[in-house]
Amino acid sequence: MEHIRTTKVEQVKLLDRFSTNNKSLTGTLYLTATHLLFIDSQQKETWILHHHIGSVEKLALTTSGCPLVIQCKNFRIVHFIVPRERDCHDIYNSLLQLSKQAKYEDLYAFSYNPKQNDSERLRGWQLIDLAEEYKRMGVPNSNWQLSDANREYKICETYPRELYVPRIASKPIIVGSSKFRSKGRFPVLSYYHQNKEAAICRCSQPLSGFSARCLEDEHLLQAISKANPANRYMYVVDTRPKLNAIANRAAGKGYENEDNYSNIRFQFVGIENIHVMRSSLQKLLEVNGTKGLSVNDFYSGLESSGWLRHIKAVMDAAIFLAKAIMVENASVLVHCSDGWDRTSQVCSLGSLLLDSYYRTVKGFMVLIEKDWISFGHKFSERCGHLDGDPKEVSPVFTQFLECVWHLTEQFPQDFEFNEAFLLQIHEHIHSCQFGNFLGNCQKEREELKLKEKTYSLWPFLLDDQKKYLNPLYSSSSQKFAVLEPNTASFNFKFWRNMYHQFDRTLHPRESVCNIIMNMNEQNKQLEKEIEDLESIFQAFVLRNET
Amino acid sequence: MEFAELIKTPRVDNVVLHRPFYPAVEGTLCLTGHHLILSSRQDNTEELWLLHSNIDAIDKRFVGPLGTIIIKCKDFRIIQLDIPGMEECLNIASSIEALSTLDSITLMYPFFYRPMFEVIEDGWHSFLPEQEFELYSSATSDWRLSYVNKEFAVCPSYPPIVIVPKSIDDEALRKVATFRHGGRFPVLSYYHKKNGMVIMRSGQPLTGTNGRRCKEDEKLINATLRAGKRGYIIDTRSLNVAQQARAKGGGFEQEAHYPQWRRIHKSIERYHILQESLVKLVEACNDQTHNMDRWLSKLESSNWLTHIKEILTTACLVAQCIDREGASILIHGTEGTDSTLQVTSLAQIILEPRSRTIRGFEALIEREWLQAGHPFQQRCAQSAYCSSKQKWESPVFLLFLDCVWQILRQFPCSFEFNENFLIMLFEHAYASQFGTFLGNNESERCKLKLQQKTMSLWSWVNRPSELSKVTNPLFEANSLVIWPSVAPQSLQLWEGIFLRWNRSSKYLDEAYEEMVNIIEYNKELQAKVNLLRRQLAELETKDGVQESP
């Protein structure tokens, strides 16, 4: 609270950023320990979580007051006009402090109290059980086993404790391979396709430099191909552009030399790095924020931002994985540099194409827990939870959600969840309200004692499930009904409901999804009512007969 | 002339047909006077029946003795026929070319088409001007029907009956007609019952370089204003273009002579600029190999969505003047037969709930496009693939339909019709078995005796079996004015038209089906609950009667 000097300012104007006639609402601005709150004269409330604030800007004083522009990580942009500069300055300073925390313990999740007792909280954390998930996939089995090599985080700090590896890969091989991989992230199982007996594996780049090799690593890859009885060769997919991978060789890293590994087929797929993605999104948001934007500026901005090109690249890579498994029965090993950004995108999206379970509400949570949280996607750095290096911030997970959204557009009946679910998850990777996305890897999360001190997001989403269900979902689809999206460029559209989710004036005024959702709900009630009425009817008839 | 003269080879066997989303079919190709027909000998295989008038362009290719004809249709579909034998192929190609570009309207298919359905209601009489006027006359007595154009002598592109201010007599109308382009004197397009404001439309005033004026014209449009009120003149051309028009005898209303009117210039493109835009857009959509950057830059440089935005923006401006500012409007461009009609009809979609119903929309097309003299014959002569660039070919009507689609997408429950209705209208405007869109205006349609010799599209559409295909299951009457967003982020490529043949819509169609099922099921359940409640209530009263002595 020591950062808050002014808790309430009256006569503040909230400008509509797309209105051409400078429409505004007048109201009162409140500053609390966790939120900025604006209540307009109609008593409509706008809550902004401090953690959602990406940047605060104080513009030059105008005749009507001092403009304060706040950009949020959930793409809300608010433009206030505060009558007195003094107040504006106080709020500005407070928000600067409040929106950037130095320690995890100061984040909202550590003070958030949804009134649950300890056992409820623990049950919440146990809702998603990855051991259960691997069992569902069909491992361990005769070819794959649980390895205890990383039980104490000794081999790789950013991996989870429990890792699945080929049964024939001995511990020395694993240890040897991990020494040859960036950050010790050696090849492990990400997804096992029970029908095809083929696997998606993941790792980081090899420390091959210009000529180095590692027999253990070569053995491990061979073990992965041998774990697939249906196919002798496997694909190694380097998700980076070839040039980037070559440049890495100079730093003693690089990519697999096909000559040293038997039976691998090496493939680059050309997804750009986190820095390119960050500036791409920035450009996109700049274009979209323009008032009175022309169609041509919108499309040329969309093009020059490269955003949809990147989305398509991720999608294409995931389709490559799905095809390798479905068409060729081949296992795939995926890596990028460290194997926690692009690799997470491609592995999770590939699994989602292959396995309908991940297209359910629960399955999608499991997928995020597995390929993103447990395998060490650095959520705290990528989302800028703490005041840290801005160069580590990147919308990698947002891109994953966008790819999923594109799939829901092409396959409107194949997902149990709707768009609101994706938006809500996006909201919470930045909100720091729940513990799931705090920290950068499992080890760090354990040290933070998140399971004791914070709550898990998933049970709250499940409780609210009704809001997130796709009313057109047809659950009849087979477990291994693979999605084959069309990736001609014209299928990729700007995701207005994400990047303009708070700019309601740009949205359709009537939502088909909501109407059908309500109707489904109503249908259930009507069915129930018919049942009741019929039994009353029966009772009547019976009584009259006797 | 006999069609037989044009058909050099009426029939070829072993032709292979390739078309989007279907496996190749081998069969016999037959040419008739109006159709290209391919039928395979297998049962259950759908035949291809293609109207020659739907063919926009053809390409020929030869590999050895095997000829290939690529047929590009006005609805943007592209199909391919592999024809064995060079001579047969050449004959077929030249026949198709001749049959798809017949000069005489009376040789067109509608004059030969015999309907195989029962006509419940003759569409030629579904939307009579007198009936339409009755809708207004209950609310106002300031307007009257004028028969001044009965013989099409005052304005060749107007219908025989128009609505004009009551205080202006036919003599004055004749004078005003000489002062307006094409004789198109200001007539009523729309009456806003809520506040009595109106939309009028006309051709440009013929002021010329020396600033000619016409007292009757001024009197006519002033007659629509209430005392002390000002109105707006929306010129759909930029000021620059309007000024240039003076050199050719046209021009715009001078402030000095129309002091009660404020003029606003918008810039809606016409003619070949729109045509080029369509050509570029269709070309971009048809190339699936474009990478993302190329696709986006092609989409941008087609300018199609820019045109959509400009038209919608102008329509919103008009609606705003009427509904929010309570001001009447006069709209014109040059002739008043293209951009003017786009704007007047879209403003009505925004303002008037009736025009969002199926019948209301049909009435709107009839009134604001057919009767109002949009030259369909000229504008829709060719589509996106034709290389003969005629100035008068222009996708004005398609742009209008696209704008309606954009609003429909933003208000998916406020329209009684669905996207299929718009697509159907697009198809029939370009090639049809019905006479509705033939000719350029009522005068031409009269001379062609379309009412006697052809069938109206509305006779076919307004039957339960067809209506069910175009009815929007989500429709809930919305009596409000609907304001669409015209931000580029809110506008979208109309996939149902432009990607229709380029990607499968199987999953989208299935999802739509499912939505319909849910809605149908809901109706069923509600009916059942109501029935049960009623029966129960009856039982209860009977019971009560029995129990009470």
Side-chain angles (χ1 to χ4, degrees):
Chain A
M1 289 302 277
E2 70 271 26
H3 302 306
I4 302 178
R5 297 179 57 159
T6 305
T7 54
K8 179 179 175 187
V9 187
E10 285 173 344
Q11 291 297 311
V12 173
K13 279 198 190 110
L14 175 61
L15 297 185
D16 178 344
R17 74 168 169 142
F18 288 107
S19 141
T20 39
N21 45 11
N22 285 324
K23 258 201 295 202
S24 70
L25 295 166
T26 307
T28 308
L29 197 61
Y30 298 89
L31 197 56
T32 76
T34 52
H35 289 84
L36 181 69
L37 167 64
F38 179 77
I39 305 183
D40 67 24
S41 49
Q42 325 269 267
Q43 300 304 312
K44 204 182 131 265
E45 299 175 1
T46 308
W47 290 83
I48 296 171
L49 191 63
H50 295 327
H51 295 317
H52 270 146
I53 294 176
S55 74
V56 198
E57 222 184 327
K58 211 165 65 113
L59 304 180
L61 195 64
T62 67
T63 47
S64 52
C66 190
L68 188 70
V69 180
I70 299 171
Q71 299 211 25
C72 300
K73 293 169 182 171
N74 55 8
F75 308 116
R76 186 201 285 274
I77 295 181
V78 283
H79 194 144
F80 290 117
I81 303 222
V82 184
R84 290 189 348 181
E85 198 188 3
R86 180 80 240 145
D87 292 334
C88 186
H89 194 73
D90 283 349
I91 291 179
Y92 171 75
N93 276 337
S94 300
L95 289 179
L96 276 190
Q97 302 290 334
L98 293 165
S99 64
K100 290 265 180 268
Q101 302 296 346
K103 301 198 303 285
Y104 282 114
E105 285 76 7
D106 291 334
L107 295 174
Y108 187 31
F110 288 88
S111 61
Y112 175 63
N113 182 3
K115 302 197 175 58
Q116 279 192 350
N117 60 34
D118 288 353
S119 70
E120 281 173 307
R121 162 158 58 195
L122 191 64
R123 248 180 293 135
W125 279 109
Q126 286 163 344
L127 185 72
I128 306 294
D129 178 355
L130 289 185
E132 201 53 44
E133 167 57 11
Y134 284 101
K135 221 183 278 168
R136 187 197 67 88
M137 285 183 208
V139 288
N141 58 28
S142 55
N143 290 316
W144 295 88
Q145 67 176 2
L146 180 64
S147 159
D148 58 5
N150 203 40
R151 186 126 295 167
E152 307 299 327
Y153 295 117
K154 280 210 178 105
I155 300 184
C156 175
E157 293 205 325
T158 58
Y159 265 173
R161 291 174 188 270
E162 312 214 311
L163 293 164
Y164 290 83
V165 295
R167 205 168 272 280
I168 57 169
S170 65
K171 195 158 177 189
I173 290 208
I174 290 172
V175 173
S177 164
S178 78
K179 291 192 173 132
F180 186 63
R181 294 276 168 180
S182 195
K183 309 277 196 310
R185 295 171 66 93
F186 61 97
V188 296
L189 182 76
S190 159
Y191 176 72
Y192 178 75
H193 195 287
Q194 214 166 0
N195 264 17
K196 298 278 180 185
E197 297 179 80
I200 296 176
C201 296
R202 54 185 292 168
C203 61
S204 61
Q205 65 184 332
L207 303 175
S208 52
F210 291 101
S211 59
R213 54 189 290 190
C214 166
L215 287 176
E216 290 90 341
D217 192 63
E218 290 160 25
H219 271 126
L220 184 51
L221 262 64
Q222 207 163 23
I224 293 174
S225 357
K226 280 189 183 152
N228 177 351
N231 202 323
R232 296 289 304 139
Y233 62 81
M234 69 184 281
Y235 282 100
V236 175
V237 174
D238 188 327
T239 58
R240 300 168 294 182
K242 189 171 181 184
L243 267 179
N244 301 22
I246 289 173
N248 261 301
R249 294 211 303 209
K253 301 165 184 173
Y255 54 93
E256 291 80 357
N257 181 342
E258 262 179 307
D259 300 338
N260 298 339
Y261 294 83
S262 50
N263 297 320
I264 71 161
R265 298 190 179 177
F266 188 83
Q267 180 81 31
F268 286 110
V269 293
I271 303 172
E272 299 287 352
N273 66 28
I274 57 166
H275 310 293
V276 175
M277 299 310 191
R278 179 179 58 246
S279 65
S280 170
L281 180 61
Q282 211 162 0
K283 273 185 213 152
L284 182 75
L285 296 178
E286 268 166 37
V287 171
N288 292 332
T290 316
K291 220 179 195 179
L293 184 65
S294 77
V295 172
N296 283 357
D297 287 346
F298 173 65
Y299 280 101
S300 65
L302 196 56
E303 183 198 337
S304 70
S305 77
W307 184 256
L308 289 178
R309 176 160 46 88
H310 301 316
I311 296 293
K312 177 167 153 59
V314 175
M315 191 79 98
D316 280 330
I319 292 168
F320 181 90
L321 257 59
K323 273 204 178 134
I325 289 185
M326 290 312 290
V327 181
E328 299 180 52
N329 262 27
S331 291
V332 191
L333 173 66
V334 184
H335 69 74
C336 45
S337 298
D338 292 319
W340 49 45
D341 293 309
R342 290 168 270 202
T343 301
S344 295
Q345 287 179 328
V346 173
C347 289
S348 55
L349 206 56
S351 315
L352 181 120
L353 291 175
L354 289 164
D355 192 330
S356 63
Y357 175 62
Y358 297 128
R359 297 171 224 145
T360 63
V361 167
K362 177 91 183 283
F364 194 62
M365 296 171 178
V366 168
L367 184 67
I368 292 172
E369 281 284 345
K370 174 169 72 76
D371 271 312
W372 293 87
I373 295 173
S374 90
F375 276 115
H377 173 67
K378 304 201 284 179
F379 274 105
S380 272
E381 291 200 350
R382 296 293 176 259
C383 301
H385 290 158
L386 298 177
D387 195 8
D389 184 358
K391 286 207 172 69
E392 286 291 328
V393 175
S394 187
V396 176
F397 187 74
T398 308
Q399 289 183 317
F400 162 68
L401 292 179
E402 179 163 340
C403 288
V404 175
W405 173 76
H406 273 105
L407 290 171
T408 64
E409 285 283 287
Q410 279 197 40
F411 303 96
Q413 294 193 270
D414 286 274
F415 290 80
E416 192 190 10
F417 49 83
N418 60 22
E419 189 182 39
F421 186 60
L422 299 175
L423 295 177
Q424 192 62 14
I425 292 173
H426 185 262
E427 181 84 1
H428 284 298
I429 61 167
H430 293 109
S431 72
C432 305
Q433 186 176 350
F434 297 95
N436 307 62
F437 304 107
L438 300 188
N440 293 307
C441 60
Q442 293 297 57
K443 183 164 178 271
E444 202 178 352
R445 286 185 193 104
E446 285 172 19
E447 285 162 7
L448 287 169
K449 299 202 174 23
L450 292 177
K451 290 193 180 175
E452 291 150 51
K453 295 184 174 167
T454 72
Y455 294 86
S456 167
L457 167 66
W458 309 126
F460 292 88
L461 291 185
L462 272 185
D463 279 352
D464 256 357
Q465 208 183 136
K466 261 186 199 165
K467 279 199 247 170
Y468 305 124
L469 290 183
N470 169 13
L472 301 177
Y473 177 56
S474 121
S475 54
S476 57
S477 66
Q478 304 266 305
K479 180 181 171 198
F480 293 114
V482 62
L483 298 185
E484 296 175 61
N486 181 338
T487 58
S489 298
F490 54 60
N491 292 289
F492 293 85
K493 288 170 288 191
F494 172 68
W495 191 7
R496 185 197 50 231
N497 289 1
M498 170 65 96
Y499 303 103
H500 288 297
Q501 53 181 309
F502 296 97
D503 304 309
R504 304 304 299 183
T505 55
L506 300 184
H507 290 222
R509 306 305 202 268
E510 298 157 345
S511 156
V512 175
C513 179
N514 286 345
I515 289 165
I516 302 297
M517 256 161 78
N518 292 340
M519 206 169 266
N520 255 345
E521 207 43 50
Q522 196 190 28
N523 285 356
K524 275 183 211 140
Q525 288 166 8
L526 285 170
E527 279 170 350
K528 174 91 184 33
E529 193 179 343
I530 288 173
E531 220 172 84
D532 293 348
L533 285 171
E534 273 172 344
S535 60
I536 298 173
F537 200 83
Q538 288 296 326
F540 247 109
V541 172
L542 275 176
R543 209 180 68 195
N544 285 356
E545 274 172 5
T546 53
Chain B
M1 187 191 66
E2 287 291 322
F3 293 119
E5 289 169 23
L6 300 174
I7 305 172
K8 293 176 189 154
T9 303
R11 195 193 137 112
V12 189
D13 289 328
N14 304 106
V15 172
V16 180
L17 164 72
H18 305 269
R19 56 182 160 168
F21 317 127
Y22 287 94
V25 184
E26 191 185 320
T28 303
L29 179 74
C30 297
L31 286 189
T32 72
H34 296 104
H35 284 95
L36 179 153
I37 303 159
L38 188 119
S39 60
S40 64
R41 267 138 301 173
Q42 294 117 321
D43 297 331
N44 305 327
T45 320
E46 217 195 316
E47 296 179 323
L48 172 79
W49 282 72
L50 186 68
L51 263 182
H52 292 318
S53 56
N54 191 3
I55 296 174
D56 201 30
I58 63 169
D59 287 340
K60 306 180 281 275
R61 274 204 314 253
F62 293 96
V63 180
L66 181 75
T68 294
I69 301 179
I70 293 166
I71 298 178
K72 300 176 176 177
C73 303
K74 289 177 186 164
D75 60 13
F76 310 137
R77 175 172 35 162
I78 296 180
I79 60 177
Q80 181 185 327
L81 296 169
D82 296 339
I83 299 171
M86 187 184 284
E87 197 191 330
E88 282 85 352
C89 184
L90 284 172
N91 283 346
I92 295 283
S94 70
S95 302
I96 295 176
E97 255 168 69
L99 291 165
S100 61
T101 52
L102 295 174
D103 284 331
S104 169
I105 295 181
T106 52
L107 292 176
M108 305 284 274
Y109 187 50
F111 287 92
F112 299 82
Y113 171 70
R114 291 292 160 262
M116 303 290 278
F117 59 87
E118 193 200 343
V119 178
I120 303 168
E121 175 194 338
D122 183 358
W124 290 118
H125 304 298
S126 291
F127 308 100
L128 298 175
E130 291 92 339
Q131 286 168 7
E132 292 290 309
F133 180 63
E134 268 172 38
L135 294 173
Y136 295 144
S137 54
S138 59
T140 172
S141 54
D142 297 342
W143 298 84
R144 69 179 180 97
L145 287 175
S146 164
Y147 298 85
V148 67
N149 198 39
K150 206 165 56 192
E151 311 294 334
F152 304 108
V154 179
C155 171
S157 62
Y158 268 173
I161 307 173
V162 291
I163 307 173
V164 295
K166 195 163 214 171
S167 57
I168 305 297
D169 60 23
D170 284 356
E171 205 33 54
L173 294 178
R174 286 197 187 90
K175 280 198 188 131
V176 177
T178 61
F179 180 66
R180 291 277 172 178
H181 191 116
R184 294 175 70 91
F185 53 89
V187 295
L188 183 77
S189 157
Y190 171 68
Y191 179 84
H192 197 46
K193 279 187 189 162
K194 195 169 116 191
N195 59 9
M197 295 301 124
V198 297
I199 300 176
M200 287 176 295
R201 52 177 158 74
S202 68
Q204 65 179 341
L206 302 174
T207 56
T209 40
N210 48 12
R212 228 180 108 208
R213 63 187 287 195
C214 170
K215 286 271 168 54
E216 287 80 3
D217 188 76
E218 292 157 25
K219 198 174 152 218
L220 192 165
I221 72 164
N222 286 339
T224 66
L225 292 180
R226 300 224 177 116
K229 279 277 197 179
R230 277 162 67 94
Y232 289 90
I233 295 173
I234 309 286
D235 193 323
T236 60
R237 305 162 296 179
S238 67
L239 178 61
N240 203 6
V241 173
Q243 277 167 342
Q244 283 166 4
R246 288 191 299 199
K248 291 184 199 152
F252 51 88
E253 294 82 357
Q254 298 291 327
E255 285 84 350
H257 303 150
Y258 298 84
Q260 287 165 277
W261 295 82
R262 209 187 127 203
R263 208 178 61 243
I264 299 174
H265 290 274
K266 300 298 282 183
S267 161
I268 300 179
E269 297 291 353
R270 298 184 311 144
Y271 292 134
H272 66 281
I273 292 180
L274 301 183
Q275 183 65 17
E276 278 161 24
S277 172
L278 177 67
V279 170
K280 279 188 188 163
L281 179 67
V282 171
E283 201 181 275
C285 293
N286 282 354
D287 192 338
Q288 314 232 5
T289 64
H290 283 325
N291 66 31
M292 189 62 71
D293 289 0
R294 203 163 162 75
W295 157 247
L296 290 173
S297 100
K298 290 246 170 193
L299 183 59
E300 181 210 333
S301 66
S302 79
N303 281 327
W304 185 262
L305 288 168
T306 302
H307 300 312
I308 297 282
K309 181 171 156 70
E310 193 61 41
I311 298 165
L312 277 174
T313 305
T314 311
C316 286
L317 171 72
V318 169
Q320 214 164 1
C321 290
I322 297 271
D323 190 65
R324 297 261 168 98
E325 290 202 29
S328 283
I329 303 272
L330 170 67
I331 306 176
H332 65 74
T334 305
E335 291 95 340
T337 55
D338 295 285
S339 50
T340 304
L341 305 182
Q342 289 172 331
V343 175
T344 58
S345 49
L346 285 167
Q348 294 181 52
I349 298 273
I350 294 168
L351 291 167
E352 163 74 296
R354 177 173 171 255
S355 63
R356 295 173 225 141
T357 64
I358 292 176
R359 270 197 98 84
F361 192 71
E362 290 170 355
L364 182 80
I365 302 276
E366 188 70 35
R367 231 173 37 236
E368 292 298 300
W369 290 88
L370 293 161
Q371 308 260 345
H374 175 67
F376 277 99
Q377 193 73 42
Q378 290 183 347
R379 298 289 181 264
C380 302
Q382 298 289 342
S383 173
Y385 299 119
C386 182
S387 50
S388 83
K389 297 211 163 59
Q390 301 289 357
K391 182 183 155 83
W392 58 76
E393 289 159 6
S394 187
V396 177
F397 186 63
L398 176 58
L399 271 163
F400 158 70
L401 294 176
D402 196 334
C403 289
V404 176
W405 179 79
Q406 304 284 349
I407 306 177
L408 169 63
R409 262 195 68 259
Q410 295 188 28
F411 295 88
C413 308
S414 298
F415 288 79
E416 194 190 3
F417 51 85
N418 61 20
E419 179 183 8
N420 295 337
F421 189 51
L422 300 173
I423 295 174
M424 182 211 60
L425 288 171
F426 159 68
E427 290 174 337
H428 284 282
Y430 280 83
S432 177
Q433 65 268 47
F434 303 105
T436 300
F437 292 106
L438 292 182
N440 290 307
N441 49 52
E442 283 303 290
S443 156
E444 285 185 24
R445 287 185 199 109
C446 254
K447 284 188 201 115
L448 290 166
K449 296 200 169 58
L450 291 182
Q451 294 206 10
Q452 293 83 44
K453 294 188 171 169
T454 73
M455 178 64 60
S456 160
L457 172 64
W458 312 132
S459 306
W460 178 67
V461 178
N462 290 332
R463 294 172 310 127
S465 59
E466 283 310 308
L467 285 175
S468 69
K469 292 180 203 158
V470 298
T471 302
N472 176 8
L474 291 165
F475 177 57
E476 293 237 8
N478 172 358
S479 61
L480 300 173
V481 176
I482 56 175
W483 300 105
S485 161
V486 296
Q489 296 95 321
S490 307
L491 302 177
Q492 269 195 9
L493 176 71
W494 188 5
E495 299 180 5
I497 284 278
F498 296 108
L499 300 181
R500 185 177 176 192
W501 311 106
N502 299 324
R503 56 129 175 77
S504 161
S505 60
K506 179 168 170 270
Y507 299 112
L508 302 180
D509 296 343
E510 284 171 4
Y512 184 82
E513 282 298 309
E514 176 62 18
M515 183 184 83
V516 173
N517 289 341
I518 292 172
I519 296 169
E520 292 293 319
Y521 184 50
N522 182 265
K523 282 185 194 146
E524 233 173 78
L525 289 176
Q526 288 200 350
K528 201 163 172 194
V529 164
N530 289 339
L531 180 71
L532 278 169
R533 277 188 194 147
R534 240 192 347 264
Q535 289 177 336
L536 212 53
E538 274 168 28
L539 270 182
E540 272 167 358
T541 39
K542 244 194 264 164
D543 216 36
V545 171
Q546 280 171 5
E547 269 170 29
S548 58

